[in-house]
Amino acid sequence: MKAFMKTMALAGLLALAAGSASAAVNVTWVHPENFHDLPFPGWERKEMLDQITDHFVKLGANLPPGENLRIEITDFDPAGRLIPSARLGRDLRVMTGRADWPRMELNYAIEQNGQVIKSGQSQLQDMNYQQTFSHYFDSEPYRYEKQMIDDWFDKTIAPIQKKRR
């Protein structure tokens, strides 16, 4: 599993290299094998975590030059529940809106010139995920989780950037 966590951190750095060089974003998944309702097949699980990692990297690309964002995800429970489906040959994610909202626990740190300028621990959740306004299309994978992350980023990370402008 250590190799998986290293791969996820490297994926964030590689995505950064492909995009803006203004800020570095490092996402680490801590014991993802203990997370709730993630797909069982390893490739499906990796695909889901890669997409969430890429989303953090995309948001962090707007940080000013010289700032780095470190995210350590300690728990993750995507929206819905997985229901085994032999007919489809894979699990089916069902969203009822009853106690199946997306949740995430993470630690974060924003660094500038090697100094931590803000850090903390956050518990993200969107109990009204099916009623909340989202700018993502219905076809967007993990749109509820991405919207939840966007809301957290706007409330927690973006205000720091506005103060310094």
Side-chain angles (χ1 to χ4, degrees):
M1 194 48 60
K2 285 184 181 180
F4 179 76
M5 290 186 346
K6 286 181 183 176
T7 301
M8 296 306 293
L10 286 174
L13 293 173
L14 290 174
L16 169 70
S20 169
S22 63
V25 178
N26 185 356
V27 178
T28 305
W29 297 86
V30 180
H31 298 292
E33 69 276 6
N34 296 331
F35 295 170
H36 305 281
D37 286 330
L38 280 130
F40 181 74
W43 67 270
E44 242 182 291
R45 178 181 292 240
K46 182 181 178 325
E47 181 180 294
M48 173 186 269
L49 299 182
D50 282 349
Q51 286 201 30
I52 299 299
T53 296
D54 292 345
H55 192 68
F56 276 110
V57 170
K58 181 181 133 198
L59 291 172
N62 295 320
L63 292 171
E67 286 192 8
N68 301 319
L69 175 62
R70 282 187 293 126
I71 303 282
E72 181 182 69
I73 301 170
T74 58
D75 196 15
F76 180 50
D77 185 357
R81 294 285 173 248
L82 286 177
I83 308 294
S85 174
R87 194 179 81 156
L88 292 176
R90 63 182 180 92
D91 295 338
L92 182 65
R93 185 164 298 278
V94 177
M95 297 176 206
T96 63
R98 295 185 309 257
D100 64 355
W101 57 85
R103 300 176 192 93
M104 180 181 284
E105 292 181 15
L106 58 84
N107 301 312
Y108 67 93
I110 301 173
E111 299 173 343
Q112 184 176 40
N113 302 323
Q115 299 291 323
V116 174
I117 57 175
K118 183 173 182 179
S119 64
Q121 195 173 36
S122 294
Q123 294 184 345
L124 290 60
Q125 62 181 340
D126 185 358
M127 294 173 73
N128 296 316
Y129 72 98
Q130 290 180 316
Q131 287 80 40
T132 302
F133 173 76
S134 175
H135 59 272
Y136 295 100
F137 291 111
D138 288 347
S139 60
E140 176 76 26
Y142 315 114
R143 65 187 177 276
Y144 300 120
E145 294 77 10
K146 290 176 182 177
Q147 185 63 54
M148 177 182 73
I149 292 166
D150 289 353
D151 293 343
W152 169 80
F153 192 89
D154 290 345
K155 291 176 189 168
T156 308
I157 306 300
I160 297 168
Q161 310 317 309
K162 291 178 185 172
K163 285 181 186 177
R164 280 184 257 151
R165 289 185 187 158

